[in-house]
Amino acid sequence: MAPGTISLTLKVWRQAGPDQPGRFETYRAERIPTDISFLEMLDIVNDGLEREGKDPIAFDHDCREGICGSCGAVVNGRPHGPRKATTLCQLHMREFKDGETLVIEPFRAKAFPVVKDLVVDRSAFDRIIQAGGYVSVRTGQAPEANSIPVPKHRADRAMDAAQCIGCGACVAACPNASASLFTAAKIVQLAMLPQGHPERTRRVVAMVQAMDREGFGSCSKQYECEAVCPKEIKVENITLMNREYLRALVRED
Amino acid sequence: MLDARVPKGPLPEKWTRCQFDMKLVNPSNRRKYTVIVVGTGLAGSSASATLAELGYNVKTFCLNDTPRRAHSIAAQGGINAAKNYQNDGDSVYRLFYDTIKGGDYRSREANVYRLAEISVKIIDHCVAQGVPFAREYGGLLDNRSFGGAQVSRTFYARGQTGQQLLLGAYGALMKEVNAGRAKVFPRREMMDLIVANGRAVGIVVRNMVTGALEAHLADAVVLASGGYGNVFFLSTNGRSCNVSAAWRCYQRGAFFANPCLTQIHPTCIPVHGELQSKLTLMSESLRNDGRIWVSRQPGDTRHPNDIPEAERYYYLEERYPSFGNLVPRDVASRNAKQVCDAGLGVRGGNAVYLDFRDAITREGEAVIRERYGNLFDMYERITGVDPYKEPMTIFPAIHYTMGGLWVDYHLMSTIPGLFVLGEANFSDHGANRLGASALMQGLADGYFIIPYTMGHYLATTGPAKTREDAPEVREALESAEVRIRKLMSIRGKRTVNEMHRRLGLLLWDKCGMARNERGLREALEEIPAIREEFWNNVNIPGETGTFNQVLERAMRVADFMEFAELMVRDALERRESCGGHFREEYQTEDGEAKRDDENFAHVAAWEYAGPDAAPRRHVEPLVFEEVKPSQRSYK
């Protein structure tokens, strides 16, 4: 083995389409430099498959710097792999040992049908946001930016929640396939800011309903979502979302 | 021939006058018009949302699985606006002046002034959307100085400003989807522009899941498909960023302006090996506190922490005492190349140090962590080195493309009804873009310019009335199908990536940070050979009518192979140095870019002349009424 390289066995979920049966296929990833990323390792495996005229493993990816939220797969049972606070594209092969076997599968949830191999359809997230994950301001209406001061600690908390990249790892990690962490992150971001207040009540009700409608499960506080979130979004956001929801039930503003 | 439609009157009044002079579409008539928007980055999403708010029927297309993932999301540092909240001497005029100067006097004055003017409204709007910008303890917005500016005019949301602004625009678009005025078509790749009766009336897209080709018709088309940095193979762009949509428009008659003007960003993580798939940018906000240096000893193999102060060469601070580490991007990049070419790079290679030791000593680790924590973490994840303990290593990489489709003051291309926004157009950044100005431009175009100019266009030209069975629609569908079939039938031996890498290395070598006549001529010889090999020997496994990521890549690379030639040709014809375009034959005695205002104070706009003919070069002279072009100096 060349220095700074490892060889691995991959068991990868292959599925031609949403209605096709899937199965695990085994591949060898030989002499993988440890300073490349997980997706670059998949590139190498795919390169070999392409050269053999075989269909490469499909996976979503784009920015490859951990911010677009496109990539993600479950590696050895853990969404985005073993390293905390890291997307799959930012996971580097130095996290693995020579000779290891990696089981790689898509983010699984009823609301995330498989498109192909590791690619899933996460458009349910868009529909949750469509239900109310915004401030209804039209271009041109805004007042002067500094006319409404926002205490720094509230702006910081809004930013903590706003960092969500919409990757869906929280759903994949949850035994109930709940989208609570994703939904709560947007609700809390806007609840922390005065700009979000006029629609606060309507927003939480509409978004929670949309989440249920899409077939995501309920939150039973397992904390699995927080553990795998690449942006370290905290479960306390779900608590706050529930409080917002209760508040909405007793108020009509 | 090229009429930029710049309004008459004094610079500060042009946009106001233009807005008044433009025709309006009656609110109840707007829903009768359909507008297609291609791309969902800052420009595309903001345009889609705003046009839909006005009542137009908007159809928005993107190649990602959701509009929230476009590569605007990766912009880290911030967004400029002439708010002068810091009372440090900023103004609309100063932002305008800095942008013109920073662009090395190769942009259009009227456009840049309008951009500076609109910048303040962008911040108002984004705050109202709930974008969590950084704030001070008093609850008001915080600013920082950024990339070559001597005032603090940059608004930011930690190191994720692009993400937060994009999610704001995405939210606004989702609001309009919910209201039924906008419809999003994800996982669609634009294959062609449909032109009928001399105007843009629709697009052909490929459904990336089923492989089906679809024609969509409209009364106007907005192209916001980003830049072409990936022509270099390795860049900081997202992997799917491509020139294909713009290239198809070029082939349908839209002029391509200044393709040779590309920006090399000074602070990226250095290339580590052959298998690398992309380069990662570290926000240049790091240059506010980090000091850039190399060892004075060529090929120094010592650990950076063991190199004593006296042997460290802080080359930017020494060469540019008044701007120091904050010189504009083109200057910082070129100097990094020079010291590395002289053998002074880290361990003799292509990298320089970006060191936070002094900032940590001065301000404490906690303050530095608060400012740059996520960037430091990212660096550590990628390299395995802890930048709190030893300097980062950085090197320039392709990051942004100033060139793009030619547009007039209305952001309309040479094809009536085809508007081009954001990085896909060429207009505002001249030969070099200032840091934190891309986000500003994308949002200015989408939120505040296109709603006016689109209304004027539709009010003056009326509906397109193209039918789905029109010959132009059939022809566009067929040509897409023929191209795909041809690619799939090659079944050769080379992989798409292999061919793309070969093209990219050639361009980086001959048309990258420094260019010269001989190299450019060599590239012009070599590109057709690479292209020929691609069309004869590339291998695309799988089928057309399915989710086929290799085919997607192959189609983009095929277009890069053609586009590269235009870029090199443009670089060859521009016999001067300006901004990011450094022609080695044209430099001052101390190695700075030497412009030739007498012969090259113009935009070069290229017209497609068919597959076997050389493109025609047109010229839009740049007239400077307000600012007098001078040799840029950051000494």
Side-chain angles (χ1 to χ4, degrees), chain B residues 481-498:
Chain B
E481 205 183 314
V482 167
R483 202 169 50 250
I484 293 172
R485 215 175 319 134
K486 201 172 155 200
L487 280 167
M488 294 300 297
S489 68
I490 302 169
R491 306 277 177 191
K493 296 216 161 13
R494 302 271 178 224
T495 66
V496 175
N497 275 355
E498 197 177 344

Side-chain angles (χ1 to χ4, degrees), chain A residues 43-94:
Chain A
D43 288 343
I44 294 173
V45 174
N46 275 346
D47 198 73
L49 291 172
E50 269 181 70
R51 281 175 202 285
E52 293 169 31
K54 291 183 182 154
D55 196 23
I57 303 157
F59 60 94
D60 264 327
H61 64 98
D62 199 4
C63 78
R64 297 204 174 192
E65 37 189 284
I67 193 73
C68 75
S70 297
C71 71
V74 176
V75 180
N76 287 349
R78 197 182 149 95
H80 290 305
R83 187 168 165 156
K84 199 171 153 47
T86 302
T87 56
L88 201 59
C89 63
Q90 293 284 285
L91 181 71
H92 281 65
M93 297 312 291
R94 66 181 79 89

